Amino acid sequence: MSSTPQTRTIGTSQPAESRQARMPSRSVKSALAAPLVLWHRQLAYVLKAWRRMSAFAALRARLSVPLPSSTVILGRANVYGTGRVYCGENLLIYPGQYMETSGDGKIILGDGVVLSSGVHMVAYASITIGKGSMIGEFTSIRDANHTREPGRTLRDSNHVAKPITIGSEVWIGRGVAVLSGVTIGDGATVGANAVVTKDVPAGATVAGVPAKPIAAKSAVAAMERD
């Protein structure tokens, strides 16, 4: 007895015309999305404002001296040690700061100072940054060095600290290292990735390892490259 094979179609897709008919038109889609877009935008604003307020409150709580309400901080700062960080008015502080003070050490930030992301400051004596100066991303400013003492591990040995002074309207590029005892004069410019081991005169432009005077145009070009 013979039988006729039966065929069955599985998952047959519907015509494109039918799929398109079920999709909302562009005008309907825009109308439906509009309140959702507004909601997301408003929520993003609220969250950003909350993060800034939380970061401000956390920094104020961690410092042992007052923090002006004019401070604008865009993300959480890491503060260690005594919390002796003296802040001027109208600071702009980006996320990822590292501020450490020990003993009598202190950090003094003048009015209008800008600290870009990831700036690292450690003060056993003092670090002073003058009015209107801008510090580039991942710059390291440390006023102390480890010593080596017979019979003691490096970790357990003491430090030797000398104050660092950075003047007003100084522009320090990305990734600069400013070493113990250095003074950088008003209006100076330090090119990206420089290592500042000696004093920099007011208005001078320096770059390199160790930092040396160069033409101002060369420093700006180096900063733009990096």
Side-chain angles (χ1 to χ4, degrees):
M1 183 176 177
S2 61
S3 62
T4 303
Q6 296 181 351
T7 59
R8 182 171 57 179
T9 303
I10 300 175
T12 302
S13 60
Q14 297 181 357
E17 295 82 0
S18 177
R19 293 199 304 273
Q20 291 176 355
R22 294 201 311 272
M23 295 179 62
S25 65
R26 292 183 179 179
S27 59
V28 173
K29 184 177 181 181
S30 296
L32 292 173
L36 295 175
V37 171
L38 180 62
W39 185 81
H40 280 291
R41 285 178 177 171
Q42 291 299 324
L43 181 62
Y45 174 80
V46 170
L47 289 176
K48 181 167 68 174
W50 172 256
R51 283 195 296 267
R52 290 186 180 185
M53 182 59 67
S54 178
F56 176 84
L59 180 58
R60 173 176 276 184
R62 188 62 191 84
L63 299 186
S64 60
V65 293
L67 177 65
S69 58
S70 61
T71 303
V72 176
I73 179 167
L74 305 182
R76 191 64 66 96
N78 299 304
V79 180
Y80 299 94
T82 62
R84 298 181 68 198
V85 181
Y86 298 83
C87 297
E89 298 288 341
N90 300 310
L91 301 186
L92 176 56
I93 303 176
Y94 282 81
Q97 303 298 313
Y98 182 99
M99 303 176 182
E100 179 182 344
T101 54
S102 179
D104 294 330
K106 59 187 175 181
I107 296 171
I108 303 172
L109 306 174
D111 295 347
V113 166
V114 177
L115 301 178
S116 300
S117 298
V119 173
H120 189 118
M121 294 184 287
V122 178
Y124 282 66
S126 68
I127 294 172
T128 303
I129 301 178
K131 180 178 179 181
S133 290
M134 299 179 64
I135 312 300
E137 298 91 338
F138 308 110
T139 289
S140 173
I141 305 172
R142 300 177 61 96
D143 71 357
N145 287 313
H146 289 282
T147 60
R148 292 187 180 275
E149 302 176 35
R152 302 184 70 177
T153 65
L154 183 60
R155 180 175 179 175
D156 293 329
S157 295
N158 292 317
H159 293 79
V160 174
K162 297 179 181 179
I164 292 174
T165 302
I166 298 173
S168 299
E169 295 293 327
V170 173
W171 180 16
I172 293 182
R174 186 182 196 275
V176 169
V178 181
L179 303 189
S180 174
V182 163
T183 295
I184 300 177
D186 296 345
T189 301
V190 181
N193 301 313
V195 178
V196 185
T197 60
K198 297 181 180 179
D199 292 352
V200 177
T205 300
V206 300
V209 181
K212 296 180 180 179
I214 62 171
K217 290 183 178 179
S218 300
V220 172
M223 289 181 174
E224 291 176 345
R225 267 199 318 272
D226 295 318

